[in-house]
Amino acid sequence: MSNQQEIELRPFPPFLPPLATVLMMGSFPPRAERRFPPKVEKRSMQFHYPNFQNDMWRVYGLVFFGNAAHFERPGEKAFDAVRIKAFLRERGIASCPGVRRAIRTHGNASDAHLRVVETVELPEILEKIPHCRHICTTGGKATEILCALVETDVRAKDVQIGTAFPARCAGRDLSITRLPSTSRAYPMKLAAKAAAYRAFFVQAGCLAAEE
């Protein structure tokens, strides 16, 4: 089997603070490194959204602290996983990719070339965060994956960025909101992405409107 056809297991377990009220669901993390062309390190930490070129934690920095560099390690091209985890616990935010096993058909981190082999067991995830009623997806592929895991009349392709829709899973009523990808390949300015995330977190009760 070629490198491109390897079945990858998600590198990080779901992060599920027991008092979480919000679950953030992406698709699948990048590889630790890219083999061809020569090795390029992709992870700046051992936690979700580890690629330093991905702006997820810069978005969080802007939304909650007004500083895109808030979760960066000073003087390093890396994020601070310890600070990020402590913050997520404090704010009641869980994180879990929608895919457990996948194949990167082109050997890169693009969702367009992601072949899903196994999705997460969402009922088991929700059981561990019993207070969660809000889920946000971090891009189109993540929305497509999640829509297949819940009961809803909404089609993933019809969901616009910033739009919330109702769903059910394991007998629980949920509100799902599609948010923009924080990949720099996604054509939206950082400030606009942060505005979309801020609106969601205010609506979900993780952030006061005046903060």
Side-chain angles (χ1 to χ4, degrees):
M1 180 178 291
S2 67
N3 288 328
Q4 286 86 351
Q5 297 303 305
E6 292 175 359
I7 297 177
E8 298 177 49
L9 174 67
R10 66 183 178 210
F12 316 115
F15 182 76
L16 305 172
L19 297 180
T21 58
V22 167
L23 173 61
M24 180 172 66
M25 293 195 72
S27 54
F28 197 68
R31 285 178 170 170
E33 61 186 32
R34 190 167 59 222
R35 295 183 176 89
F36 303 103
K39 294 181 178 180
V40 178
E41 294 299 325
K42 302 291 285 184
R43 297 179 191 160
S44 72
M45 62 175 176
Q46 295 301 307
F47 190 60
H48 302 182
Y49 302 94
N51 186 342
F52 195 67
Q53 297 305 309
N54 188 292
D55 284 326
M56 179 59 75
W57 304 116
R58 295 184 184 91
V59 164
Y60 269 76
L62 281 172
V63 169
F64 290 93
F65 300 97
N67 177 11
H70 181 82
F71 290 111
E72 295 180 15
R73 297 174 65 91
E76 303 178 40
K77 290 185 176 181
F79 296 113
D80 190 329
V82 173
R83 290 180 66 203
I84 290 170
K85 291 177 184 179
F87 164 80
L88 294 176
R89 289 191 188 97
E90 177 187 345
R91 292 284 178 157
I93 302 171
S95 178
C96 177
V99 176
R100 189 169 186 274
R101 296 179 189 272
I103 293 171
R104 293 286 186 189
T105 60
H106 286 53
N108 58 37
S110 171
D111 279 349
H113 303 137
L114 181 71
R115 183 187 302 165
V116 178
V117 175
E118 180 185 359
T119 55
V120 297
E121 289 292 332
L122 188 57
E124 294 181 9
I125 297 295
L126 292 175
E127 185 177 359
K128 295 177 181 178
I129 44 175
H131 304 286
C132 178
R133 295 295 184 274
H134 297 271
I135 301 179
C136 65
T137 59
T138 62
K141 185 70 173 182
T143 306
E144 174 189 328
I145 292 166
L146 180 57
C147 280
L149 300 178
V150 298
E151 302 169 38
T152 182
D153 294 328
V154 174
R155 298 184 301 176
K157 66 179 182 179
D158 296 332
V159 181
Q160 301 298 311
I161 290 175
T163 300
F165 60 92
R168 282 180 64 82
C169 183
R172 187 183 307 185
D173 290 325
L174 300 165
S175 175
I176 297 174
T177 302
R178 177 185 172 180
L179 295 178
S181 168
T182 52
S183 167
R184 292 190 181 176
Y186 189 76
M188 180 183 283
K189 291 185 181 299
L190 179 62
K193 293 180 182 182
Y197 278 75
R198 177 182 177 81
F200 166 75
F201 285 120
V202 169
Q203 186 271 332
C206 293
L207 182 69
E210 62 273 13
E211 283 188 71

